[in-house]
């Protein structure tokens, strides 16, 4: 009988033991990058979102288990659960990106208004100087 | 007034400086993400309609099939939500962060494996009344092709952005 390394408790423990240093680095890198990317947004992530991001980074760091040649419905269902956890991470990251871009857009528009105001002031002063002169 | 003007210019400089680390996305890629988001939404809706009709061929697998249906639907919904948010993000500004590119690449891999899972599950499931096997096969074939197409679409967006990041990293580190 073919066995596959799905995430039962024993395999998970073995994976964690073997991958701990690499995983720690991957998790820290991802967390730091996430904070760097979004620091201007002052995002309040909340424990649940942080947990979901870390969990998803874990599932993204560990290779997706291969399907055996003739998988049972149980094999496929377990694997589908892992795939869905990976997708859950992207939901959070895409939302953060949306909020990030929305804020940048707002800041850019405000900067544009400020620049226009400065430009109009310069034109005003120039006209005043020409007429006055 | 002078202070306000100075603050305006400072804001401009900060914005330009702050945005220099973002990865620019082309208009074509923006369109592809938008198309992908629409397709993902439709696919999730279509599966939600058919899901109550799917049943295990062998009742000993009923619990596993039920789990798979729930997870497959959750995965499709997650993809639809994330692509919709990404599409909206690109409407605001056509730039993405590095972590988003990595997540997009992971999502492409996930989508590809989900297609394999769906194909494998076809051996274990069928349709119950009032559906017919022919209708089920037609749906399954279309769903399978759509899943594969989604994986390819995600990869086509993620890979050029990943390559751009890699190139920039190589240029920075001699």
């Amino acid at each position: 009988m073919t066995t596959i390394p799905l995430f039962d408790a024993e395999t998970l423990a073995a994976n964690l033991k073997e991958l701990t240093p690499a995983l720690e680095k991957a998790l820290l890198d991802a967390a730091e990058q996430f904070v760097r990317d979004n620091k201007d947004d002052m995002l309040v992530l909340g424990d649940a979102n942080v947990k979901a991001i870390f969990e998803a980074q874990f599932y993204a760091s560990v290779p997706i288990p291969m399907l055996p040649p003739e998988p049972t419905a149980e094999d496929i269902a377990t694997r589908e659960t892992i795939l869905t956890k990976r997708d859950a991470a992207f939901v959070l990251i895409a939302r953060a990106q949306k909020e990030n871009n929305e804020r940048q857009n707002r800041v850019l528009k405000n900067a544009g208004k400020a620049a226009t105001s400065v430009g109009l002031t310069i034109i005003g002063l120039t006209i005043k100087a020409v007429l006055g002169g | 007034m002078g202070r306000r003007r100075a603050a305006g210019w400072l804001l401009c400089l900060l914005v330009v400086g702050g945005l220099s680390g973002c990865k620019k996305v082309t208009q074509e890629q923006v369109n592809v993400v938008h198309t992908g988001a629409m397709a993902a939404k439709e696919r999730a809706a279509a599966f939600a309609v058919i899901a109550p009709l799917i049943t295990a061929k062998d009742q000993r697998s009923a619990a596993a099939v039920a789990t798979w249906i729930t997870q497959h639907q959750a995965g499709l919904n997650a993809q639809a939500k994330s692509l919709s948010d990404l599409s909206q993000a690109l409407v605001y500004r056509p730039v993405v962060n590095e972590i988003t590119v990595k997540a997009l690449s992971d999502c492409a891999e996930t989508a590809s494996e989900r297609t394999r899972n769906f194909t494998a599950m076809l051996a274990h499931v069928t349709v119950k009344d009032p559906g017919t096997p022919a209708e089920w096969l037609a749906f399954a074939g279309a769903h399978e092709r759509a899943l594969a197409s989604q994986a390819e679409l995600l990869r086509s967006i993620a890979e050029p952005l990943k390559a751009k990041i890699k190139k920039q990293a190589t240029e920075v580190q001699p």
Side-chain angles (χ1 to χ4, degrees), chain B residues 18-93:
Chain B
L19 300 183
S20 57
C22 295
K23 305 294 164 272
K24 184 103 174 99
V25 179
T26 64
Q27 186 55 48
E28 192 187 345
Q29 285 171 321
V30 173
N31 295 343
V32 171
V33 172
H34 182 68
T35 310
M38 300 286 284
K41 196 177 169 187
E42 281 170 21
R43 189 161 43 258
F47 188 80
V49 171
I50 211 88
L53 297 179
I54 301 173
T55 186
K57 280 181 184 170
D58 179 347
Q59 281 312 300
R60 283 174 298 183
S61 304
V65 167
T67 302
W68 170 76
I69 290 171
T70 306
Q71 293 298 322
H72 191 71
Q73 183 72 65
L76 294 178
N77 289 343
Q79 262 193 21
K81 172 81 181 104
S82 55
L83 282 173
S84 165
D85 276 357
L86 184 63
S87 177
Q88 186 58 44
L90 297 176
V91 169
Y92 289 128
R93 294 206 68 240

Side-chain angles (χ1 to χ4, degrees), chain A residues 39-105:
Chain A
K39 64 182 172 187
D40 292 336
D41 285 349
M42 292 181 285
L43 284 178
V44 181
L45 288 174
D47 287 353
N49 285 352
V50 169
K51 184 179 171 294
I53 289 173
F54 269 40
E55 186 178 70
Q57 288 300 332
F58 168 75
Y59 282 104
S61 304
V62 179
I64 300 170
M66 296 285 287
L67 277 174
E70 287 180 21
T72 63
E74 285 78 10
D75 292 337
I76 301 165
T78 308
R79 200 165 175 270
E80 194 79 15
T81 307
I82 293 165
L83 298 178
T84 301
K85 282 183 186 294
R86 287 167 64 97
D87 273 333
F90 193 39
V91 171
L92 289 165
I93 290 168
R95 195 179 70 198
Q97 182 77 67
K98 184 178 79 170
E99 289 169 5
N100 201 39
N101 288 18
E102 184 185 12
R103 187 175 177 278
Q104 284 182 359
N105 189 36

Side-chain angles (χ1 to χ4, degrees), chain A residues 8-59:
Chain A
D8 57 88
E10 272 179 34
T11 313
L12 189 60
N15 271 337
L16 277 173
K17 199 173 174 185
E18 191 184 326
L19 290 166
T20 297
L23 264 177
E24 261 180 27
K25 188 175 180 318
L27 290 174
L28 280 174
D29 285 352
E32 283 173 7
Q33 183 68 52
F34 192 85
V35 170
R36 265 200 305 276
D37 280 348
N38 296 291
K39 64 182 172 187
D40 292 336
D41 285 349
M42 292 181 285
L43 284 178
V44 181
L45 288 174
D47 287 353
N49 285 352
V50 169
K51 184 179 171 294
I53 289 173
F54 269 40
E55 186 178 70
Q57 288 300 332
F58 168 75
Y59 282 104

